[in-house]
Coordinates of all heavy atoms in Angstrom, one line a residue:
Q131 N 1.6 6.3 4.0 CA 1.4 5.8 5.3 C -0.1 5.7 5.7 O -0.9 6.5 5.2 CB 2.1 6.8 6.3 CG 3.6 6.8 6.2 CD 4.2 7.8 7.2 OE1 3.6 8.7 7.7 NE2 5.5 7.5 7.5
A132 N -0.4 4.7 6.5 CA -1.8 4.6 6.9 C -2.2 5.7 7.8 O -1.4 6.2 8.7 CB -2.0 3.2 7.6
K133 N -3.4 6.2 7.7 CA -3.8 7.3 8.6 C -4.0 6.8 10.0 O -4.7 5.8 10.2 CB -5.1 7.9 8.0 CG -5.6 9.1 8.8 CD -6.9 9.6 8.2 CE -7.4 10.8 9.0 NZ -8.7 11.4 8.4
I134 N -3.5 7.5 10.9 CA -3.6 7.1 12.3 C -4.9 7.7 12.9 O -5.1 8.9 12.8 CB -2.4 7.6 13.2 CG1 -1.1 6.9 12.7 CG2 -2.6 7.3 14.7 CD1 0.1 7.4 13.4
L135 N -5.8 6.9 13.3 CA -7.1 7.3 13.8 C -7.0 7.7 15.3 O -6.4 7.0 16.1 CB -8.2 6.3 13.7 CG -8.5 5.8 12.2 CD1 -9.5 4.7 12.2 CD2 -9.0 7.0 11.4
E136 N -7.5 8.9 15.6 CA -7.4 9.3 17.0 C -8.5 8.6 17.8 O -9.6 8.4 17.4 CB -7.8 10.8 17.1 CG -7.7 11.4 18.5 CD -8.1 12.9 18.4 OE1 -7.2 13.7 18.2 OE2 -9.3 13.2 18.6
P137 N -8.1 8.0 19.0 CA -9.1 7.3 19.8 C -10.3 8.2 20.1 O -10.1 9.4 20.4 CB -8.3 7.0 21.1 CG -6.9 7.0 20.7 CD -6.8 8.1 19.6
R138 N -11.5 7.7 20.0 CA -12.7 8.5 20.3 C -12.9 8.6 21.8 O -12.9 7.6 22.5 CB -13.9 7.9 19.6 CG -13.8 8.0 18.1 CD -15.1 7.5 17.4 NE -16.3 8.2 17.9 CZ -16.6 9.5 17.6 NH1 -15.7 10.2 16.9 NH2 -17.7 10.1 18.0
R139 N -13.0 9.8 22.3 CA -13.2 10.1 23.7 C -14.6 9.6 24.1 O -15.5 9.6 23.3 CB -13.0 11.5 24.0 CG -11.5 12.0 23.7 CD -11.4 13.5 23.9 NE -10.0 13.9 23.7 CZ -9.4 14.2 22.6 NH1 -10.1 14.2 21.4 NH2 -8.1 14.6 22.5
L140 N -14.7 9.4 25.4 CA -16.0 8.8 25.9 C -17.1 9.8 25.7 O -18.2 9.4 25.3 CB -15.8 8.5 27.4 CG -17.1 7.9 28.1 CD1 -17.5 6.6 27.4 CD2 -16.8 7.7 29.6
Y141 N -16.9 11.1 25.9 CA -18.0 12.0 25.7 C -18.5 12.0 24.2 O -19.7 12.2 23.9 CB -17.7 13.4 26.1 CG -16.7 14.2 25.3 CD1 -17.1 14.8 24.1 CD2 -15.3 14.3 25.6 CE1 -16.2 15.5 23.3 CE2 -14.5 15.1 24.9 CZ -14.9 15.7 23.7 OH -14.0 16.4 22.9
Q142 N -17.6 11.7 23.3 CA -18.0 11.6 21.9 C -18.9 10.4 21.6 O -19.9 10.5 20.9 CB -16.8 11.5 20.9 CG -15.9 12.8 20.9 CD -14.6 12.5 20.1 OE1 -13.6 12.2 20.6 NE2 -14.7 12.7 18.8
Q143 N -18.5 9.3 22.3 CA -19.3 8.1 22.1 C -20.7 8.3 22.7 O -21.7 7.8 22.1 CB -18.6 6.9 22.8 CG -17.2 6.6 22.2 CD -16.5 5.6 23.0 OE1 -17.0 4.6 23.4 NE2 -15.2 5.8 23.2
I144 N -20.8 8.9 23.9 CA -22.1 9.1 24.5 C -22.9 10.1 23.7 O -24.1 9.9 23.5 CB -21.9 9.7 25.9 CG1 -21.1 8.6 26.8 CG2 -23.2 10.0 26.6 CD1 -20.7 9.2 28.1
A145 N -22.3 11.1 23.2 CA -23.0 12.1 22.3 C -23.6 11.4 21.1 O -24.7 11.7 20.7 CB -22.1 13.2 21.9
D146 N -22.8 10.5 20.5 CA -23.3 9.7 19.4 C -24.5 8.9 19.8 O -25.5 8.8 19.0 CB -22.2 8.8 18.8 CG -21.1 9.6 18.1 OD1 -21.3 10.8 17.8 OD2 -20.0 9.0 17.9
Q147 N -24.5 8.3 21.0 CA -25.7 7.5 21.4 C -26.9 8.4 21.5 O -28.0 8.0 21.1 CB -25.4 6.9 22.8 CG -24.4 5.8 22.8 CD -24.2 5.2 24.2 OE1 -25.1 4.7 24.8 NE2 -23.0 5.3 24.7
I148 N -26.8 9.6 22.1 CA -27.9 10.5 22.2 C -28.4 10.9 20.8 O -29.6 11.0 20.6 CB -27.5 11.7 23.1 CG1 -27.2 11.2 24.5 CG2 -28.7 12.7 23.1 CD1 -26.6 12.3 25.4
R149 N -27.5 11.2 20.0 CA -27.9 11.6 18.6 C -28.6 10.5 17.9 O -29.6 10.8 17.2 CB -26.6 12.0 17.8 CG -26.9 12.7 16.5 CD -25.7 12.8 15.6 NE -24.5 13.3 16.3 CZ -24.3 14.6 16.5 NH1 -25.2 15.5 16.1 NH2 -23.3 15.0 17.2
E150 N -28.2 9.3 18.1 CA -28.9 8.2 17.5 C -30.4 8.1 18.0 O -31.3 7.8 17.3 CB -28.2 6.9 17.7 CG -26.9 6.8 17.0 CD -26.0 5.6 17.4 OE1 -26.5 4.8 18.3 OE2 -24.9 5.4 16.9
L151 N -30.5 8.3 19.3 CA -31.9 8.3 19.9 C -32.8 9.4 19.3 O -33.9 9.2 19.0 CB -31.8 8.5 21.4 CG -31.2 7.3 22.2 CD1 -31.0 7.6 23.7 CD2 -32.0 6.0 22.0

Side-chain angles (χ1 to χ4, degrees):
Q131 294 182 337
K133 183 178 179 180
I134 299 176
L135 297 178
E136 182 181 273
R138 290 185 58 71
R139 297 175 174 88
L140 182 57
Y141 73 79
Q142 293 175 267
Q143 299 174 40
I144 298 170
D146 287 346
Q147 292 181 56
I148 297 171
R149 192 192 309 279
E150 289 171 3
L151 293 174

